[in-house]
Amino acid sequence: MADVVQYRLERMLDELDDLEQRGLFSRREIAEIVKQRRKFEYRLKRPCPLKQDFLSYIEYESQLDALRSLRMKSVAREMKKQGNKNLKKSKSDIAGLRRIMDIYEIALKRFKGDLQLWFQYLEFCRQKKNGRMKKGLAKLIRFHPKVPGVWIYAAAWEFDHNLNVTAARALMQEALRVCPTSEELWVEYLRMELTYINKLKARKVALGEDEGTLTRDPKTADEKQWRDENKELFMPLGEKASNDGPGVESEEPNKKKELFEEHGMNIFRTVYSAAVEAVPLSLSLRKSFFEILEGTNLAHFEDMRKEILAHMKRDFSTQPEFWDWLARHECDLENVQVDTSEEVITSEVHKAIQVYEEALKNVSFGTMYSLYSNFLMGIVAHKEGETSISGLSGHSENYISHLLKIYARAESLGYITEDLACKHVSLLLQLGQLDEGRKLAAMLCSGKLAESVQLWELRITIEIRCITRNSPSPSDADLQSLFELLRQILTKVPVSKSENLWVKAFKFYTNQRPYFDKLVEISVSSLTRDGGSESGFSLSSTIVSFILQKDGIQQARDMYKRYLALPHPGLALYRSCIGLETNVASIGEKSGIVNTRKLYESALATYDQNVSLWQDYYRMETKMGTSEKATAVYWRARRILKDATEFVASSNL
């Protein structure tokens, strides 16, 4: 190893001498450079060098070369002031670049499968323009032929930087033979071909042989109509309007001008047909092709647009996502201007509603109703801060009534889902129809959505609002009825799914001791059945916190001891209780540190391989206990843990 490192360092001698002779680095700085390079070279010659070793070496050499370049410019300026000629290029000017390239190539031989490293290397080659780009791309394609992004990157470089359209086309066509089912490749290949044709047309326009572009003008429909009606206002100076019919002389130039549009449409149709044949069941691919077509100004645009939509209807008529996309595309409210008339907006929305109604005849699923309702809600309910569409305020009631009919239709046909039910109830609450929402929630919770936690949360929220609407102190009958509802759902649903329900229940009954105790009993039964959680929300910890705030530390201790006696209390409860006792110990109560140690020992009896638990135990003894106990915990952890590397490597130990 030492011989190889020494040999590589000796090869740098001419470069280092040149740097010193030109006054770019002092002898002391060069000695430091040799020291750093020796350190990096030894790292690379280890049996198993890390990727970070190579990257650190590259980073150091890049910064060194940047410093050399800055000093080179400074020396050149000084020589110009003295009237001397510019500095000639020498070995040190290219040695740094070559070394970085060599380090990259050594790294890529070891980490052939690291695409991030490959692209980092290629970007470096592209920026430095050193001539190794083609070779690097060929290697990357050879090692990763099944990665579409590799082919796209190579073709983009040939097209944009090397200006070799033939090579770019050959790469993309070869990529499509290797990865025929890649949607990304088909889309990018079409973009490349259309971009090339647009560049050719732009060249003709610059030469005065053509006009226009293949890119569609993104004007609004009203503006286009106005321009068509007032063509004479946009007639170039010197061009005379003729009332005669088009003659033979005007037909020939028009045919020449349409050659690019025709050729572009032929390419689009060919690529589209091949892509659909290769990936027949991809809705996203069809949408991408349709969006590309919408952004172009090709010949027979409308015919191709209708053909794509017809094919999509034929192949995806049973997919709700297709109908939702089609309706939103027909409506296209995102591009509506703020000053658009009310009639235009209403007609756009009506088009979308017609599409959704047609969809419900083909796809009668809950998902379709949910997408339909989302669209209408997006029109009706504009949040603060969002750009609202003017003109909809007068029709809001019609849209709301239509939305309510959609919910009712889904319910009557049996397509109601949890999402639809919750949105229906929430809409009634937003409209201020509290009693109607209460009846609907009660009816839905007694049907096939009887175990929907989200719907039950809405129902409990409504019941609490109804109980407290007239007076802040509810009656015994109201308390009992609400408790029965809570018992009905809390005994059915696992604790992990009903977190919010438990919190709502305990908050509401905090000052109602009999019902609070009954909820505690239900929680004990549920935790005995389901067990406690290891992390995140812990029902038992939440109850202990409620009791701590309400009754004090002693009652909280009694309660957590009761939960810890259950078959599987969970690590989250142990951590919560440890935090509680640690806070008590921090204010000087001796029982706190004793209870904290007991809790740690009890937790480690079950979770003896939990590294973070051992670390917390050690830190606690270091801060609050004695050095002897902390040392004992440290060596116990090293003995018990199967892999104590993380424990020992902790910076706080």
Side-chain angles (χ1 to χ4, degrees), residues 213-229:
T213 176
L214 295 183
T215 305
R216 184 165 293 275
D217 189 8
K219 293 185 176 69
T220 61
D222 294 342
E223 186 177 350
K224 288 180 180 178
Q225 183 179 356
W226 183 82
R227 289 179 69 94
D228 292 338
E229 292 173 354

Side-chain angles (χ1 to χ4, degrees), residues 288-516:
S288 298
F289 273 83
F290 189 83
E291 289 167 4
I292 292 174
L293 179 64
E294 291 259 286
T296 60
N297 193 23
L298 302 177
H300 313 296
F301 165 80
E302 286 297 332
D303 294 339
M304 191 65 204
R305 183 178 180 276
K306 292 177 182 177
E307 182 180 339
I308 294 177
L309 288 176
H311 290 171
M312 293 175 76
K313 269 190 180 180
R314 179 195 63 197
D315 298 335
F316 305 106
S317 60
T318 58
Q319 294 189 18
E321 293 78 12
F322 161 69
W323 291 104
D324 183 56
W325 170 82
L326 180 61
R328 292 177 183 274
H329 181 269
E330 290 292 331
C331 185
D332 197 21
L333 288 178
E334 293 180 358
N335 296 325
V336 171
Q337 303 296 321
V338 178
D339 56 348
T340 305
S341 63
E342 182 178 337
E343 291 75 14
V344 173
I345 296 174
T346 305
S347 64
E348 292 291 319
V349 175
H350 185 64
K351 288 180 186 177
I353 290 175
Q354 286 181 331
V355 174
Y356 278 116
E357 291 295 336
E358 182 185 355
L360 291 177
K361 297 176 183 177
N362 295 278
V363 188
S364 294
F365 300 135
T367 307
M368 193 68 250
Y369 283 96
S370 181
L371 293 171
Y372 194 176
S373 65
N374 288 343
F375 171 76
L376 291 174
M377 281 297 296
I379 296 175
V380 174
H382 296 290
K383 300 178 182 178
E384 271 186 42
E386 288 187 350
T387 304
S388 59
I389 301 172
S390 61
L392 287 178
S393 57
H395 298 269
S396 294
E397 291 184 4
N398 294 333
Y399 296 136
I400 290 172
S401 62
H402 190 73
L403 182 58
L404 291 172
K405 289 178 183 178
I406 295 299
Y407 288 135
R409 195 195 311 178
E411 183 186 338
S412 63
L413 295 175
Y415 297 125
I416 195 72
T417 61
E418 181 181 15
D419 182 56
L420 275 175
C422 292
K423 288 177 180 176
H424 192 181
V425 175
S426 299
L427 178 60
L428 292 176
L429 294 181
Q430 292 175 15
L431 295 174
Q433 302 175 11
L434 187 61
D435 293 330
E436 289 80 358
R438 185 180 188 183
K439 292 176 183 177
L440 178 63
M443 182 190 68
L444 293 171
C445 287
S446 60
K448 68 175 186 178
L449 299 175
E451 295 187 5
S452 169
V453 178
Q454 190 177 358
L455 188 58
W456 271 97
E457 287 179 16
L458 272 175
R459 184 182 181 186
I460 295 300
T461 302
I462 294 171
E463 293 292 340
I464 292 174
R465 286 174 62 179
C466 290
I467 290 172
T468 58
R469 178 171 49 182
N470 298 325
S471 63
S473 56
S475 64
D476 292 339
D478 291 336
L479 291 172
Q480 182 63 34
S481 64
L482 181 62
F483 180 78
E484 290 302 325
L485 288 176
L486 286 167
R487 185 205 299 273
Q488 183 180 345
I489 184 62
L490 292 178
T491 53
K492 288 181 181 178
V493 183
V495 174
S496 59
K497 295 182 180 180
S498 55
E499 301 171 4
N500 293 333
L501 275 174
W502 281 104
V503 174
K504 285 179 184 291
F506 278 107
K507 280 184 178 179
F508 185 76
Y509 287 109
T510 300
N511 299 320
Q512 306 292 334
R513 190 70 191 191
Y515 294 103
F516 190 91

Side-chain angles (χ1 to χ4, degrees), residues 611 637-650 653:
V611 177
R638 292 198 61 173
R639 185 178 71 253
I640 293 173
L641 288 171
K642 294 178 181 178
D643 184 7
T645 306
E646 184 181 352
F647 176 78
V648 176
S650 177
L653 294 182

Side-chain angles (χ1 to χ4, degrees), residues 45-95:
K45 291 304 174 183
R46 292 186 298 181
C48 295
L50 303 175
K51 175 186 170 183
Q52 189 58 42
D53 296 335
F54 292 95
L55 295 179
S56 299
Y57 198 0
I58 290 168
E59 179 67 19
Y60 173 77
E61 289 293 340
S62 299
Q63 293 178 357
L64 182 64
D65 194 59
L67 178 60
R68 180 204 60 79
S69 179
L70 287 174
R71 292 187 177 181
M72 188 78 174
K73 291 177 182 178
S74 178
V75 171
R77 283 196 298 269
E78 292 296 328
M79 292 184 67
K80 280 186 178 180
K81 288 180 181 179
Q82 297 173 5
N84 297 331
K85 295 181 180 179
N86 294 333
L87 284 173
K88 294 182 179 179
K89 286 192 175 182
S90 61
K91 290 183 179 180
S92 61
D93 293 328
I94 58 173

Side-chain angles (χ1 to χ4, degrees), residues 140-151:
L140 177 59
I141 291 173
R142 188 171 74 249
F143 288 127
H144 300 280
K146 294 292 184 180
V147 180
V150 168
W151 294 95

